[in-house]
Amino acid sequence: MLEPLRQGLPPTDPSGVAGSASCALPARYEAVGGARKFTRTTLERWELGERFDDVALVVSELVTNALRHALPADPPREFQDPPVRLHLMRWTSRLVCAVRDPSRESPVAGEAADSAESGRGLFLVECVSDSWGWHPSPVPLGELPSGPLYGKVVWALFRLPEKTK
């Protein structure tokens, strides 16, 4: 299920995949808190709790952007699943958080005015993660892989230190 998310990411060794977790998020801003809780639980299970602050900031920004900019004003009723999904993937030396949403619009890191209360999300993602990017999602939400291009995945990568034995 996560294979489409790996397309467009920096190269990784498939043998190094150590775990993946995913959750559906409702189209409400309260979902950001749920995404942070899911992230904390997952990172603690993977013994990466010390990375929570940085990863949670990025997750919060990516989920907020998806909710704010990627959902239609009147979402169609045919959505069977929530239209936004958070995926966390861990390799031996990398952690990726990815948010899938139904919009085809590319994310844009804009410059916010000094007095603006929002508009710095992707700038924060860029500053806190080691790299970030996006790609079209080849699988429509809730459909089989044979469908047309639909939506996108925005991801951020964190390098993990090598474990000493």
Side-chain angles (χ1 to χ4, degrees):
M1 175 181 171
L2 295 179
E3 189 58 35
L5 296 177
R6 293 186 182 109
Q7 297 173 6
L9 293 176
T12 56
D13 179 2
S15 67
V17 174
S20 64
S22 170
C23 73
L25 301 168
R28 299 187 311 268
Y29 286 109
E30 295 83 19
V32 176
R36 290 173 64 89
K37 183 175 181 180
F38 175 80
T39 299
R40 179 181 295 282
T41 302
T42 303
L43 292 181
E44 287 175 357
R45 187 174 66 241
W46 291 343
E47 298 180 358
L48 295 173
E50 74 280 356
R51 299 302 304 263
F52 173 74
D53 290 339
D54 288 345
V55 175
L57 173 65
V58 167
V59 164
S60 295
E61 295 300 335
L62 294 181
V63 170
T64 298
N65 280 352
L67 295 172
R68 182 173 289 157
H69 302 293
L71 298 181
D74 294 319
R77 297 203 184 273
E78 65 264 12
F79 275 134
Q80 295 292 329
D81 292 326
V84 176
R85 292 194 66 86
L86 168 63
H87 301 272
L88 300 173
M89 296 167 284
R90 177 180 178 223
W91 285 264
T92 305
S93 61
R94 298 174 186 193
L95 172 70
V96 171
C97 49
V99 174
R100 177 186 283 180
D101 67 54
S103 172
R104 292 183 184 183
E105 296 297 317
S106 64
V108 177
E111 289 191 28
D114 291 343
S115 61
E117 293 183 14
S118 64
R120 295 176 186 83
L122 291 175
F123 175 74
L124 291 173
V125 169
E126 185 174 324
C127 289
V128 174
S129 66
D130 290 300
S131 63
W132 76 277
W134 75 280
H135 60 88
S137 176
V139 180
L141 297 173
E143 293 185 22
L144 297 175
S146 61
L149 285 178
Y150 183 83
K152 69 177 173 300
V153 175
V154 183
W155 55 265
L157 179 140
F158 296 86
R159 288 190 179 86
L160 300 174
E162 295 293 326
K163 296 215 176 198
T164 56
K165 296 182 183 188

